[in-house]
Amino acid sequence: MDKPNDLMDKLVSLCKRRGFIFQSSEIYGGLNGCWDYGPLGVELKRNVKNLWWRDMVTSRDDMVGLDASIIMNPKVWEASGHVGGFADPMIDCKKCKGRFRADQLYYAVREGQSRQGGSASVWFSAIADKVEDASAVMELQLKKKGRQIREWTNDFELVRYDQEQSEQAPCPACDEKGSLTVPRAFNLMFKTHCGAMEDSSSVTYLRPETAQGIFVNFKNVLDTQRLKLPFGIAQIGKAFRNEINPRNYTFRSREFEMMEVEYFCHPSQADQWYQYWRKARFDWYVNLGLRSDRLRLRDHEKDELAHYAKSCVDIEYAFPFGVSELEGVANRTDFDLKRHQEYSGRDMSYYDDQTKERFLPYVIEPSAGVDRSVLAFLCEAYTEDEAPDDKGLPQKRVLMRLHPKLAPIKVAVFPLVKKDRMQEIAHKIHEQLKGRWNAFYDEKGAVGRRYRRQDEAGTPFCITVDGQTLEDQTVTIRDRDSLAQDRVSCDRIVDYLSEHLGN
Ligand code: ATP
């Protein structure tokens, strides 16, 4: 069996070789934490977003969509708490200039494993005894102050305590002892300026989440759509976080995409909707092919909860580099609407005509990352097996067992050999199919190699036009996973595919 990192290496190389994912600005050495999706990746990502939008928005009666701007009035981020509190604690190595997130050390110890992976885990275990104490102290202090992890480096005692730890701990990257700084709070928002003046009055931020665009538009949507509670507002869009340590391929990026729902309901119904959404979102991943035994729901412990959340659960996936968060589902109470009401002076309340009650709705938030979903689907899909080559001899093959709904290319059409009639029929079939599905035509090289290329791209079906087609107007349709080949008459191809592709 592959070691986890071998599997990641193979996946990363396949993604580059076949055009799923490239390093951003690669010809200039790349940019840490930024990635580009190539021709196959963009289709996969688009499928993920379209399926989410269909399942969360258009197929429901209680959901509407929104597309808010990325740069917003900076007051939004003051009200949301991001300007003051959206910080991670970072530790620097004075020797090798490595930079690490201190809260990951906290989790690593608590869960008995490293979230950073690699050499960091050596460091964690080397000082495990001492850190065990440290985490206990942190936990206690967090409990006492009702603070969330992201805020804890503002806490002076903790910083001091950590200094003792860091003096003895070797750097996880270069092993130098005593080279680590104390943790410092580092705000994750990208700052920029709006307009020609570059002074403090023009400071704005790239949004670190899409959620706030929804909250500030709550009244606009409510008033224009004549909605009744409970209802949700959904948004897909880019978010930016200046992560201290981008890592694990696209898992932790600095520019990424989110798919978020803010589901508004009466406070008395919030617990019920919270239960509903944690199950609905878990099932969504399973239905698209993630194995349920690789997924888990991890409830946040009371002291881990963000100050605004009443309850929160992470949907986690067993990535090759460790079990990590795909999506968070939180009961955010009326925190956000209340804060925006306070900071903007605008009324954010909801009036119920029937009960004559006026109140601030509670919000359940399923917040998912597009890139992390894509990565989980890619990890799950990567498979190696054996398949007969052109001479019928078994040969190792790599295939991406993507769910047909996610597959970038749904069907490929080949003439067996480059003969006029075969090419002509194959072109005709391709023309007919491409209006409905993403279909690909290929006539280059041996047919076995063409199959392999489609296996690596995750294409569920390949249609081959051969000698027999010229006689009886039938083609072979080959299944990517089972390798079974069905003989299907040309006028039944569309029916066959819609049956097997599920749309
Ligand atoms: P983490 O603890 O991993 O930093 P988080 O708890 O800060 O994540 P949320 O603020 O809950 O994440 O964001 C919601 C979702 O957005 C996450 O579940 C994840 O899928 C995605 N996400 C957050 N940060 C990143 C990132 N840096 N790169 C890619 N996706 C991200």
Side-chain angles (χ1 to χ4, degrees):
M1 229 180 82
D2 283 325
K3 285 200 252 93
N5 287 342
D6 292 348
L7 182 59
M8 271 323 278
D9 287 350
K10 286 183 187 173
L11 182 69
V12 170
S13 118
L14 181 142
C15 284
K16 176 164 188 215
R17 189 170 73 245
R18 297 312 320 275
F20 278 98
I21 299 171
F22 305 125
Q23 205 183 359
S24 159
S25 13
E26 192 192 82
I27 57 167
Y28 292 103
L31 182 66
N32 205 0
C34 298
W35 299 93
D36 296 343
Y37 288 83
L40 290 183
V42 70
E43 297 294 338
L44 170 59
K45 197 176 179 204
R46 191 180 287 258
N47 289 339
V48 169
K49 291 189 282 184
N50 287 349
L51 287 163
W52 186 90
W53 194 263
R54 194 199 65 190
D55 294 341
M56 297 301 118
V57 186
T58 49
S59 68
R60 299 178 64 108
D61 299 326
D62 58 351
M63 197 79 73
V64 291
L66 184 77
D67 186 11
S69 66
I70 288 174
I71 301 174
M72 300 168 79
N73 188 310
K75 290 220 176 71
V76 170
W77 307 110
E78 282 170 35
S80 68
H82 284 84
V83 172
F86 193 57
D88 273 344
M90 67 175 190
I91 295 176
D92 287 312
C93 172
K94 285 177 261 180
K95 188 178 168 218
C96 74
K97 311 286 177 224
R99 182 163 279 184
F100 314 96
R101 232 174 86 174
D103 66 332
Q104 289 178 340
L105 170 141
Y106 168 83
Y107 279 114
V109 174
R110 202 156 81 172
E111 295 197 358
Q113 60 156 33
S114 163
R115 290 203 158 212
Q116 301 229 14
S119 58
S121 58
V122 178
W123 183 57
F124 295 146
S125 56
I127 55 165
D129 293 349
K130 296 201 174 64
V131 179
E132 206 86 66
D133 302 344
S135 70
V137 172
M138 286 175 203
E139 211 157 41
L140 204 73
Q141 295 192 343
L142 287 163
K143 243 184 223 151
K144 269 198 275 179
K145 297 193 168 84
R147 302 272 289 277
Q148 57 167 330
I149 303 289
R150 285 201 186 282
E151 287 177 320
W152 67 251
T153 43
N154 297 336
D155 193 317
F156 186 62
E157 291 113 304
L158 281 183
V159 171
R160 243 191 8 216
Y161 193 89
D162 251 64
Q163 189 165 18
E164 279 171 33
Q165 296 300 322
S166 40
E167 270 163 16
Q168 299 153 36
C171 166
C174 73
D175 272 348
E176 180 80 3
K177 273 195 183 161
S179 65
L180 296 174
T181 64
V182 296
R184 280 181 294 140
F186 173 74
N187 196 299
L188 298 183
M189 282 200 294
F190 277 98
K191 235 186 223 176
T192 185
H193 291 89
C194 222
M197 299 296 287
E198 287 207 4
D199 58 19
S200 60
S201 69
S202 66
V203 166
T204 48
Y205 304 93
L206 301 187
R207 68 180 176 202
E209 60 175 33
T210 64
Q212 297 305 324
I214 297 180
F215 293 126
V216 299
N217 276 296
F218 172 67
K219 272 284 175 170
N220 282 338
V221 174
L222 185 66
D223 294 346
T224 54
Q225 309 302 304
R226 294 189 292 167
L227 292 159
K228 295 240 169 302
L229 289 184
F231 69 86
I233 305 177
Q235 178 165 215
I236 298 179
K238 289 261 180 168
F240 304 82
R241 297 184 187 179
N242 200 359
E243 296 281 359
I244 295 171
N245 212 351
R247 60 192 304 125
N248 289 332
Y249 203 21
T250 56
F251 180 84
R252 187 171 302 288
S253 311
R254 290 186 167 137
E255 173 175 340
F256 56 98
E257 243 175 318
M258 297 178 95
M259 309 182 280
E260 293 195 291
V261 166
E262 303 302 329
Y263 197 79
F264 300 93
C265 64
H266 190 276
S268 66
Q269 292 187 340
D271 288 341
Q272 193 182 317
W273 282 112
Y274 173 66
Q275 293 304 330
Y276 168 87
W277 280 109
R278 44 187 285 157
K279 177 167 173 6
R281 293 301 307 146
F282 187 94
D283 292 347
W284 189 79
Y285 292 105
V286 175
N287 289 336
L288 286 175
L290 295 190
R291 271 176 27 209
S292 59
D293 60 355
R294 292 183 153 268
L295 283 166
R296 73 170 186 191
L297 286 165
R298 188 181 69 83
D299 287 293
H300 283 209
E301 288 167 32
K302 280 270 170 300
D303 59 347
E304 190 189 341
L305 283 175
H307 55 286
Y308 51 76
K310 192 172 161 225
S311 24
C312 185
V313 65
D314 285 346
I315 301 174
E316 298 185 326
Y317 176 74
F319 286 97
F321 47 80
V323 179
S324 304
E325 174 182 339
L326 268 186
E327 168 162 355
V329 180
N331 174 352
R332 294 179 74 115
T333 69
D334 58 1
F335 174 82
D336 304 272
L337 290 180
K338 201 191 265 170
R339 292 276 286 206
H340 287 303
Q341 180 165 280
E342 207 179 290
Y343 278 68
S344 70
R346 296 288 189 91
D347 175 27
M348 288 285 175
S349 65
Y350 174 85
Y351 182 70
D352 188 324
D353 296 321
Q354 274 173 346
T355 62
K356 311 283 180 230
E357 192 189 353
R358 180 171 286 285
F359 57 93
L360 286 175
Y362 266 34
V363 173
I364 310 301
E365 176 192 76
S367 169
V370 181
D371 311 77
R372 285 193 190 173
S373 303
V374 167
L375 185 58
F377 290 127
L378 286 169
C379 290
E380 183 87 30
Y382 185 92
T383 313
E384 290 175 2
D385 69 2
E386 274 189 356
D389 65 8
D390 283 339
K391 297 189 193 80
L393 298 170
Q395 215 184 52
K396 205 178 127 197
R397 80 167 173 154
V398 175
L399 71 155
M400 295 299 281
R401 283 178 187 265
L402 289 166
H403 189 290
K405 287 192 174 139
L406 294 173
I409 300 169
K410 309 294 183 201
V411 56
V413 188
F414 310 147
L416 181 65
V417 285
K418 280 197 200 173
K419 282 206 176 132
D420 282 356
R421 276 291 289 149
M422 285 188 204
Q423 285 169 304
E424 192 184 310
I425 297 172
H427 272 305
K428 234 167 94 186
I429 295 172
H430 177 235
E431 283 300 313
Q432 183 196 9
L433 298 180
K434 76 180 189 196
R436 178 147 174 196
W437 293 289
N438 193 9
F440 183 79
Y441 178 88
D442 190 6
E443 58 179 29
K444 286 181 228 72
V447 75
R449 290 198 52 191
R450 283 180 262 161
Y451 283 143
R452 295 297 153 91
R453 282 184 65 78
Q454 294 307 315
D455 289 342
E456 281 194 338
T459 308
F461 296 104
C462 291
I463 297 177
T464 305
V465 173
D466 56 16
Q468 197 177 326
T469 313
L470 308 181
E471 286 158 26
D472 65 4
Q473 285 80 49
T474 62
V475 292
T476 62
I477 304 188
R478 169 191 181 267
D479 180 293
R480 174 195 69 199
D481 300 344
S482 69
L483 295 168
Q485 300 210 10
D486 281 344
R487 197 91 217 166
V488 176
S489 98
C490 288
D491 53 15
R492 280 218 60 247
I493 294 175
V494 170
D495 289 346
Y496 182 99
L497 289 178
S498 49
E499 243 167 64
H500 288 77
L501 289 169
N503 60 2

